[in-house]
Amino acid sequence: MEKFVIEGGNRLEGSLSVKGGKNSILPILAAAVLCSSSEGVELYNIPDIVDMHVMTKILQSLGARVKYKNNTLLVNVEDLQSYTISDELMREMRSSIFLMGPLLARLGKVRVTYPGGCAIGPRPIDLHFKGLEAMGARIKEEKGYIMASASRLQGTEIHLDYPSVGATENLMMAAVLARGKTVINNAAKEPEIVDLQNFLNAMGADIRGAGTETVRIIGVEGLGKCSYRIIPDRIVAGTYLMAAAITGGRLLLKGIIPVHLDAVVAKMREAGVGIEATEDSLEVIGGRLKGVETVRTLPYPGFPTDLQAPIMALLTVAEGNSTIIESIFENRFKHVNELKRLNADISVKGRTAFIQGVKKLYGAEVEATDLRAGAALILAGLAAEGTTVISEIKHIDRGYERIELDLQQLGAKIMRI
Ligand code: UD1
């Protein structure tokens, strides 16, 4: 079992560039199933993260051929031999549910199990089902499996009760080969939805409106080969900005899309962090940290729930009080108890966390309970006096490509043991 050992107290300094986003590559890999061309798709800027490998393993189990080298992925799904995702693979990653839409569209049927529990609370998939059913899919449960079928999906108008990222993506992928026009109202507006639209259109789909609350898809007969470069990971970028800020350091983050981080930069500035932006970079220039009245997680363009734990780490050492409201997930405060082991002063009531800034964090043994909680603990460890040992770092590897190497390059004392 690997662990991170961090000797805290070093200012981070230097520059980094950020690779493609986990939340882009997972739906895009699912969408690759829609390409029946013998030449397949070529994807660039692909991060070497565990979740990406799990998704390619799932595609291979369905009959795809996949090659990964130098952050480039070649995916050929000319022969699709199976419409069943095994329970074992479904349990490995929630995002396997993204394959429902594309498999239904391409093969007319799909068999999956429920993606299972999740450390950040219940994550229902009712909106995915409702949308697929509105497009004519029959969905039933059979011996623990969910079986969906439709000879050809039918375009329709769908109103999502909540702008779910995954449901919007699943329904977009289902609709690209459907008969006629599909309109998704109250769609999620995350940049990764735009990335998915651009990828699908590069394969020959006809989609407009991603990034707004209405996505319109006109069904086409088939999709073909394409080469596509995915967008940089805004959550990794935000994590690194906060890592620099919590150490009072200086970091130039290159190759990013700063506008994707507007809400994050605004809150960090409110917390006293100096940040300068250019068209494709953000630079953190230290600053004396102060508490912020409220950070409320919201669907994009609001403050992302995936950076809630990291900003909490930052605010634990800010002067004064801060409040964080988690409005997306029911139970996303598992990092609180771990941060408290490092001397953070935090109390939680329902979905609100109250943070009283402390002068110092002190190293301790902690556990990464999930991906972003793990990132928050690294940040806290970088600022803490003494040694912090983080266990269960497999969660961190799901979404950060060898995070310790990037941080070491900036002068952090962090080791994987
Ligand atoms: C995606 C991201 C995840 C991020 C989240 C919110 C990927 C691979 N993951 O997850 O990193 O934290 O968006 O920005 O892109 N909901 C329902 N019914 C549904 C679907 C969702 O009630 O059918 C609820 C969920 O329980 C949750 C909220 O909607 O409370 C947001 O979920 P959703 O936007 O679907 O998140 P994911 O797509 O799972």
Side-chain angles (χ1 to χ4, degrees), residues 347-368:
S347 59
V348 171
K349 199 167 176 204
R351 289 190 179 197
T352 305
F354 302 93
I355 301 134
Q356 167 75 57
V358 293
K359 286 225 155 51
K360 250 189 191 157
L361 296 175
Y362 296 99
E365 291 205 10
V366 288
E367 185 186 318

Side-chain angles (χ1 to χ4, degrees), residues 206-219:
D206 184 352
I207 312 179
R208 278 176 302 151
T212 75
E213 59 197 28
T214 308
V215 183
R216 293 184 176 81
I217 306 117
I218 298 179

